[in-house]
């Protein structure tokens, strides 16, 4: 398995990641470790650790393995960094889905394709992929520009604590515009989906314990409901 991950590095990839989670388990289980693969030198811990923490992962230990492709220096040297981790929060996703969305999101973050912030805790907590988190990031930045008196870090923490609400906010944003749900705003299937999601959201919002949290989450909901069009589904 390690060789399978190391091989693409010879073709120009700078980093590979593999989340270690029991894919044979019949119930949701949390990841216990991950491996990072690199060529020529190990990845700097000062870059890796903050990124992993933004995904809600606590690093307990690291092992470094050096792999030589041959007997000469020209043959190449590779590094495998194995991190023992624990996730802050519950695991509700099937193991295969955890691997799929985490590995994609971490790779995109490492390449600089998406921002590296605390909203990535929603990858494993809420089951949102990197592109869906961009929606929440845009909503958060918009609200900050309107003068909402809360910091970005507070909103990130709030969404992580209410991951089910975060997931439903994204679903409600997608429902009016998703081409897979049919054409036209009056499509019965589309309207039915929006009503169902809105009812679930209302039930969860009524359970939010703090006034500040309620204010922020309802502000996010207000922006989602006000959306008229989006380029989110453009490839």
């Amino acid at each position: 398995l390690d060789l399978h991950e190391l091989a693409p590095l010879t073709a120009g990839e700078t980093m590979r990641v593999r989340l270690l989670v029991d894919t044979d388990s019949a119930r949701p289980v949390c990841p216990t470790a991950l491996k990072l693969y690199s060529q020529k030198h190990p990845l700097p811990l000062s870059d890796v650790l903050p990124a992993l923490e933004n995904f809600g992962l606590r690093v307990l230990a690291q092992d470094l393995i050096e792999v030589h492709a041959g007997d000469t220096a020209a043959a190449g040297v590779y590094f495998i960094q194995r991190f023992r981790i624990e996730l802050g929060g519950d695991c509700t996703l099937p193991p295969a889905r955890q691997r799929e969305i985490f590995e994609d999101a971490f790779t995109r973050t490492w390449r600089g394709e998406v921002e590296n912030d605390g909203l990535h805790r929603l990858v494993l907590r809420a089951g949102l992929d990197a592109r869906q988190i961009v929606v929440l990031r845009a909503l958060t930045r918009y609200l900050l520009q309107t003068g909402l008196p809360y910091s970005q870090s507070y909103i990130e923490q709030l969404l992580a604590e209410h991951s089910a609400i975060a997931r439903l906010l994204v679903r409600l944003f997608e429902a009016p515009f998703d081409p897979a749900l049919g054409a036209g705003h009056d499509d019965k299937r589309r309207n039915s989906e929006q009503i169902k999601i809105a009812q679930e959201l209302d039930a969860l919002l009524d359970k939010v314990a703090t006034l500040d949290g309620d204010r922020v989450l309802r502000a996010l909901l207000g922006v989602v409901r006000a959306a008229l069009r989006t380029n989110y589904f453009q490839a």
Side-chain angles (χ1 to χ4, degrees):
L1 289 175
D2 287 335
L3 291 174
H4 176 76
E5 299 293 343
L6 289 171
L9 297 176
T10 62
E13 287 194 46
T14 59
M15 186 276 300
R16 300 275 293 180
V17 58
R18 184 174 182 86
L19 189 70
L20 303 182
V21 58
D22 183 8
T23 55
D24 294 328
S25 174
R27 59 183 179 81
V29 292
C30 291
T32 56
L34 66 84
K35 289 182 178 181
L36 298 177
Y37 303 85
S38 59
Q39 188 176 18
K40 296 182 181 179
H41 52 76
L43 302 176
L45 291 179
S46 58
D47 296 333
V48 171
L49 295 184
L52 294 179
E53 289 172 358
N54 277 338
F55 279 88
L57 297 175
R58 181 172 176 233
V59 176
L60 305 177
Q62 182 211 203
D63 295 317
L64 180 63
I65 303 169
E66 189 171 327
V67 181
H68 293 267
D71 294 332
T72 65
V77 60
Y78 301 84
F79 292 90
I80 303 170
Q81 291 164 272
R82 188 183 190 279
F83 296 89
R84 187 159 57 88
I85 58 172
E86 63 180 14
L87 176 66
D90 296 329
C91 300
T92 59
L93 295 175
R97 180 61 177 164
Q98 289 184 47
R99 283 195 52 207
E100 177 187 2
I101 61 175
F102 173 84
E103 292 174 6
D104 175 72
F106 188 87
T107 301
R108 288 174 181 267
T109 302
W110 193 260
R111 291 174 179 168
E113 297 174 7
V114 296
E115 293 190 44
N116 184 11
D117 60 25
L119 287 173
H120 282 147
R121 280 175 282 190
L122 295 167
V123 170
L124 292 173
R125 285 193 182 186
L128 299 176
D129 63 32
R131 198 146 184 271
Q132 290 173 314
I133 288 173
V134 169
V135 172
L136 293 175
R137 186 173 292 119
L139 295 174
T140 299
R141 298 292 173 81
Y142 172 76
L143 284 177
L144 292 174
Q145 291 182 51
T146 67
L148 192 73
Y150 302 95
S151 66
Q152 179 174 330
S153 60
Y154 174 78
I155 299 176
E156 291 172 357
Q157 180 62 34
L158 184 67
L159 288 169
E161 293 172 354
H162 297 85
S163 56
I165 292 177
R167 181 170 56 250
L168 288 172
L169 285 171
V170 173
R171 287 180 56 199
L172 188 64
F173 175 83
E174 293 174 338
F177 311 111
D178 189 350
L181 294 177
H185 290 281
D186 295 328
D187 180 82
K188 289 183 178 180
R189 182 184 175 195
R190 189 184 300 277
N191 289 339
S192 175
E193 180 70 9
Q194 292 179 70
I195 292 171
K196 177 184 175 183
I197 297 169
Q199 289 173 340
E200 293 179 36
L201 264 172
D202 287 341
L204 290 175
L205 286 168
D206 287 341
K207 298 177 182 178
V208 175
T210 65
L211 290 176
D212 287 345
D214 182 81
R215 180 182 179 185
V216 171
L217 293 172
R218 290 187 187 277
L220 289 166
L221 175 59
V223 179
V224 170
R225 284 178 167 160
L228 299 177
R229 60 184 63 87
T230 181
N231 61 3
Y232 174 69
F233 291 97
Q234 290 275 42

